[in-house]
Amino acid sequence: EHRLAKAGVAGSNPVSRSNFHGHSSPGQGNVHIITDTFSFDDLKTMAANRFGDMVKAVVDIDRELLAVDAELHADLEAFLLQNGSDQRGLWGINLYPEVSGDEWIEFDSMINVRPSQGNRSRGVENAEIRNTIVRIVNRRIAR
């Protein structure tokens, strides 16, 4: 986690450097890594600025962090892989800040299709992994 935090450069976002790290590169857009707590209001702003109502995210369940705010889950995944994450621990989700309850987290991404891990759909079929993702997202995003 420490190595990843050092890889990013904080953007103009008002979130402190200790818990929010931005990275921009060709093809990946402006990738943000959340390693601590991120403001729900900032997530809403992020959604409004990119897709209108949604933020794409990839959760690293081993390192308990999130990469957010790119056009494709694959861009977020690639950034995390380049910075020490293990493919087996990365799962793509969509966050809908305006939706209440548990429905604000959608388990739907092409990066989740991995038959070698028993996941044959765009969702996350393993309930234990889904619960881990929800726990990490709820810890990292202050609602």
Side-chain angles (χ1 to χ4, degrees):
E1 186 170 338
H2 178 66
R3 192 175 101 194
L4 179 62
K6 292 291 185 184
V9 178
S12 60
N13 194 301
V15 180
S16 74
R17 287 177 183 263
S18 64
N19 61 13
F20 176 85
H21 308 281
H23 173 76
S24 184
S25 68
Q28 292 177 340
N30 197 22
V31 174
H32 303 291
I33 307 303
I34 302 171
T35 60
D36 198 2
T37 303
F38 190 72
S39 159
F40 194 64
D41 288 335
D42 289 337
L43 187 73
K44 286 181 181 180
T45 300
M46 191 178 282
N49 290 338
R50 171 112 24 209
F51 293 107
D53 66 342
M54 174 190 63
V55 173
K56 291 188 179 191
V58 172
V59 179
D60 182 329
I61 63 172
D62 298 322
R63 297 165 79 186
E64 298 197 0
L65 55 82
L66 283 81
V68 296
D69 199 27
E71 288 287 327
L72 301 172
H73 291 107
D75 293 335
L76 299 167
E77 176 188 46
F79 180 75
L80 289 174
L81 290 171
Q82 291 168 3
N83 287 280
S85 290
D86 179 16
Q87 171 71 49
R88 295 179 60 82
L90 300 181
W91 298 92
I93 61 172
N94 299 313
L95 301 173
Y96 292 88
E98 299 297 332
V99 175
S100 61
D102 292 338
E103 300 298 314
W104 83 288
I105 301 172
E106 177 185 48
F107 301 94
D108 182 21
S109 173
M110 286 301 295
I111 73 164
N112 296 340
V113 178
R114 49 182 92 149
S116 65
Q117 281 181 255
N119 205 82
R120 298 184 179 277
S121 74
R122 294 169 48 115
V124 178
E125 296 172 9
N126 182 302
E128 185 177 329
I129 292 172
R130 277 194 318 272
N131 290 337
T132 299
I133 291 168
V134 169
R135 180 181 50 78
I136 293 167
V137 169
N138 288 332
R139 179 183 303 153
R140 298 294 180 222
I141 308 294
R143 291 188 82 192

